[in-house]
Amino acid sequence: DQQVKQNSPSLSVQEGRISILNCDYTNSMFDYFLWYKKYPAEGPTFLISISSIKDKNEDGRFTVFLNKSAKHLSLHIVPSQPGDSAVYFCAASDSGGSNYKLTFGKGTLLTVNP
Amino acid sequence: EPEVTQTPSHQVTQMGQEVILRCVPISNHLYFYWYRQILGQKVEFLVSFYNNEISEKSEIFDDQFSVERPDGSNFTLKIRSTKLEDSAMYFCASKVTGGLYEQYFGPGTRLTVT
């Protein structure tokens, strides 16, 4: 039951170029979406989020785009840096529930090459 | 910057033994969670805790699992009789109250059941 899907297990980009990580969801009740970054042996670190009432949210080098009709979101990192190399998780939440639990995708391993 | 802490970082136990995983959430947070990640798989929700009670639990969180907030700072996950399939990284997370969805994760406890 994959309600949140990250179909690319890995992505490799050159330093300075754009990284685009994609995420699809199937549960139409999801209305808040988050991206987390995870280094080995560490917990997920919150990166950026977007509410379903928006289609774009930007924070420095990171921008998240949401296409509700397609149930698709993407994370853009510009410019990519070697320190961005990590696993990126897409997560979703349903505000109708009272506990704000997160449903995660399987993650995409981003490698930024110098 | 406040952070979620977890102890121990690694726990090895024999099948059938009880384990307690400990977490100290961020001090002004009111929602608490446990997630787990089996090697190579996605991060999965286990349980949420608010106002001194479980607000939601997943199918994974059966009678062998329990959570407790024994004082104003600690949040624990107990597995009464561990199974081999309980081997995973266990992450504690917390969030503030209200409409903010961002959860902040601890570094995790790697549980190995032999």
Side-chain angles (χ1 to χ4, degrees):
Chain A
D1 177 23
Q2 282 195 72
Q3 298 186 66
V4 178
K5 301 177 189 178
Q6 293 178 258
N7 292 320
S8 298
S10 63
L11 174 68
S12 182
V13 299
Q14 286 299 119
E15 181 178 5
R17 305 294 293 268
I18 184 171
S19 296
I20 300 176
L21 297 108
N22 293 303
C23 177
D24 298 290
Y25 62 97
T26 57
N27 187 341
S28 56
M29 299 301 292
F30 289 146
D31 56 3
Y32 202 88
F33 305 90
L34 307 91
W35 284 94
Y36 283 83
K37 177 169 76 172
K38 186 181 181 303
Y39 295 116
E42 294 185 12
T45 301
F46 170 71
L47 204 54
I48 192 169
S49 61
I50 189 166
S51 162
S52 61
I53 63 173
K54 295 186 176 181
D55 55 18
K56 177 182 174 181
N57 188 28
E58 193 171 353
D59 184 1
R61 296 186 298 115
F62 302 92
T63 303
V64 56
F65 295 92
L66 175 62
N67 182 334
K68 277 178 56 180
S69 60
K71 293 191 176 69
H72 176 84
L73 60 154
S74 61
L75 174 68
H76 292 210
I77 306 174
V78 183
S80 302
Q81 299 172 353
D84 295 330
S85 297
V87 177
Y88 287 77
F89 290 101
C90 172
S93 188
D94 164 17
S95 65
S98 60
N99 56 67
Y100 307 97
K101 72 174 183 184
L102 298 178
T103 301
F104 283 85
K106 288 188 174 182
T108 297
L109 173 62
L110 173 66
T111 303
V112 180
N113 301 301
Chain B
E1 185 173 320
E3 58 183 19
V4 177
T5 60
Q6 290 184 244
T7 54
S9 57
H10 190 191
Q11 173 91 48
V12 181
T13 189
Q14 288 190 328
M15 196 167 52
Q17 295 297 304
E18 174 183 288
V19 294
I20 297 176
L21 310 183
R22 292 183 165 80
C23 169
V24 179
I26 295 173
S27 62
N28 64 334
H29 286 190
L30 297 179
Y31 290 81
F32 312 110
Y33 306 85
W34 284 100
Y35 292 83
R36 79 172 186 190
Q37 185 182 28
I38 294 172
L39 189 64
Q41 298 187 24
K42 63 180 180 179
V43 176
E44 301 175 284
F45 167 78
L46 290 179
V47 65
S48 58
F49 192 87
Y50 172 71
N51 202 25
N52 284 322
E53 61 182 16
I54 291 174
S55 51
E56 184 172 346
K57 56 186 180 181
S58 72
E59 300 169 348
I60 304 167
F61 195 91
D62 61 21
D63 292 343
Q64 294 301 311
F65 290 86
S66 62
V67 290
E68 196 177 37
R69 187 153 164 81
D71 52 41
S73 59
N74 290 285
F75 181 49
T76 62
L77 174 69
K78 182 193 290 186
I79 309 175
R80 288 190 186 82
S81 178
T82 50
K83 307 183 188 73
L84 293 175
E85 54 264 37
D86 293 328
S87 295
M89 280 291 289
Y90 287 80
F91 295 107
C92 173
S94 68
K95 71 177 281 298
V96 298
T97 187
L100 295 176
Y101 287 70
E102 293 80 13
Q103 294 180 21
Y104 293 86
F105 285 75
T109 293
R110 176 167 297 286
L111 176 64
T112 303
V113 182
T114 62

